[in-house]
Amino acid sequence: MTGERRVRGKPVMMDVARLAGVSHQTVSRVLNEHPSVRSETRERVLRAMEELDYRRNSAARALVTNRSHTLGLVTFDTTLVGPSSTVYAIERAARDAGYFVSVASARSLDEGSVANAINRLREQAVEGIITVAPMDSALAALARVPADIPLVGIGVGEAMGVPMVSVDNIAGAAMATKHLVDLGHATVHHISGPPEWPETRERVTGWRTTLRQVGAPEAPVLSGDWSSRSGYEAARMLASDPNVTAIFCGNDQMALGALRALHEAGRDVPTEVSVVGFDDIPEAAYLLPPLTTVQQDFAALGRASLELLVEQITAGVRTQQHMRFPPELVVRESTGR
């Protein structure tokens, strides 16, 4: 038995076998990339599959193997470059590894919405779950996921019992701040992201620690919401102060807004004020002036989160590993002495 039935005239494995002149077991070996199949036989089977427009019955395969080869991905509705780039990297890495991805989007990042998204994925019998839910309110939902379910969190800080993959935000913020201090600026002002995001607090820590190490004064943190508008509004408050000569923004979108506010105030960048962002969005190199920023390798984050999840699936045990990737400072023309 092949576990397949013909539905509305769709070809099944026996049709492929008949056209290719092989047994259905041989077709199965080709589908599973078994090394024992001769290359010419494999090519004949693949041609037959293409001619018949044959598609493997995933439901039947799951019944036979007791595996869905599907991973769950919890995300949220956002246009932010960081989370959306990470989601794309995960989907690409999963496809390369032979997994399907089922996405559950949380309406918001409160505990209930994230828990509902996780439960929807569990009902689909996914083999493991990756979450891109980088807010404190989502951590409680992750902590409630049974320990026998493979799980990886991205950008969730040090959540107890949740394997984590992230960029080293503290190191990245320290790089940005030290770069500005080394250029001779007396201090560095910081426009941060929302305080309920672990990434925000880590970047504030890197900024503050670096200033304290060099004995520079700390100005109050101005909190934004990652948007260009919030960066614009915060920078308008700073632009009128001639003592403000360096600004580190928690992401590139807020840095974009800051550049606009400084331009409107007649403060030249970088001769009067230097600006550094975080993320290295594709547009960063084409801003006026091109933006100095901290680069995250989103593709590496996606691959690492998938590898960590697959390791748990294979071992049958949830790891407690936390993986942090070093960022890189990309110096462009928005910073100067």
Side-chain angles (χ1 to χ4, degrees):
M1 296 288 291
T2 65
E4 292 186 318
R5 289 185 178 181
R6 185 188 300 275
V7 179
R8 295 182 181 177
K10 291 183 178 180
V12 296
M13 193 180 297
M14 285 302 300
D15 297 323
V16 176
R18 190 176 299 109
L19 181 61
V22 298
S23 66
H24 71 80
Q25 291 94 336
T26 298
V27 176
S28 178
R29 294 189 189 102
V30 171
L31 290 170
N32 293 309
E33 300 182 356
H34 199 283
S36 66
V37 182
R38 292 183 299 177
S39 59
E40 58 268 25
T41 302
R42 185 184 309 277
E43 289 299 321
R44 196 161 70 248
V45 170
L46 293 175
R47 284 197 301 271
M49 290 171 58
E50 183 176 0
E51 181 176 339
L52 294 171
D53 194 26
Y54 172 79
R55 295 292 182 268
R56 176 181 292 194
N57 188 325
S58 298
R61 182 189 184 197
L63 287 173
V64 173
T65 65
N66 201 31
R67 292 191 60 185
S68 66
H69 286 272
T70 301
L71 306 178
L73 177 58
V74 176
T75 184
F76 64 108
D77 186 16
T78 181
T79 58
L80 292 174
V81 170
S84 58
S85 297
T86 303
V87 167
Y88 172 76
I90 293 168
E91 289 182 313
R92 182 172 183 176
R95 183 172 63 249
D96 292 343
Y99 284 91
F100 300 103
V101 175
S102 180
V103 178
S105 182
R107 292 184 177 179
S108 62
L109 285 180
D110 60 88
E111 179 181 346
S113 294
V114 175
N116 287 337
I118 291 172
N119 288 335
R120 292 201 305 271
L121 293 172
R122 292 181 62 191
E123 291 170 357
Q124 297 176 33
V126 297
E127 296 190 19
I129 297 173
I130 299 175
T131 66
V132 184
M135 283 179 64
D136 293 339
S137 55
L139 301 186
L142 301 184
R144 284 165 37 196
V145 177
D148 61 338
I149 296 178
L151 179 68
V152 174
I154 296 181
V156 298
E158 302 294 332
M160 187 64 66
V162 179
M164 182 270 294
V165 174
S166 74
V167 69
D168 191 336
N169 290 291
I170 294 176
M175 287 179 188
T177 307
K178 185 176 185 302
H179 169 66
L180 292 167
V181 170
D182 288 347
L183 288 173
H185 296 280
T187 191
V188 178
H189 294 256
H190 184 39
I191 301 174
S192 78
E196 63 271 19
W197 288 55
E199 291 179 341
T200 293
R201 297 194 297 273
E202 291 172 354
R203 292 173 193 179
V204 169
T205 296
W207 163 78
R208 179 171 288 135
T209 300
T210 304
L211 290 183
R212 290 177 178 178
Q213 287 174 346
V214 299
E218 296 175 36
V221 174
L222 299 179
S223 295
D225 60 8
W226 302 125
S227 70
S228 297
R229 183 181 67 179
S230 69
Y232 171 81
E233 293 172 348
R236 284 185 65 188
M237 299 171 62
L238 298 173
S240 60
D241 185 350
N243 293 316
V244 173
T245 65
I247 303 174
F248 165 48
C249 298
N251 75 341
D252 288 348
Q253 279 97 339
M254 291 193 298
L256 172 60
L259 291 175
R260 172 67 181 267
L262 292 168
H263 174 75
E264 290 182 355
R267 302 290 303 276
D268 185 71
V269 178
T271 56
E272 294 183 68
V273 183
S274 290
V275 178
V276 178
F278 203 111
D279 282 341
D280 195 23
I281 62 176
E283 298 83 5
Y286 302 97
L287 298 178
L288 190 63
L291 182 66
T292 295
T293 185
V294 178
Q295 183 183 79
Q296 299 193 63
D297 189 342
F298 296 112
L301 290 176
R303 289 192 300 268
S305 62
L306 182 79
E307 290 170 3
L308 189 57
L309 189 68
V310 172
E311 286 177 7
Q312 296 177 58
I313 294 171
T314 303
V317 178
R318 183 185 295 178
T319 178
Q320 298 303 313
Q321 186 174 0
H322 285 193
M323 300 175 63
R324 291 190 182 275
F325 285 81
E328 179 182 350
L329 181 69
V330 180
V331 179
R332 297 192 178 100
E333 297 170 30
S334 66
T335 52
R337 295 188 179 275

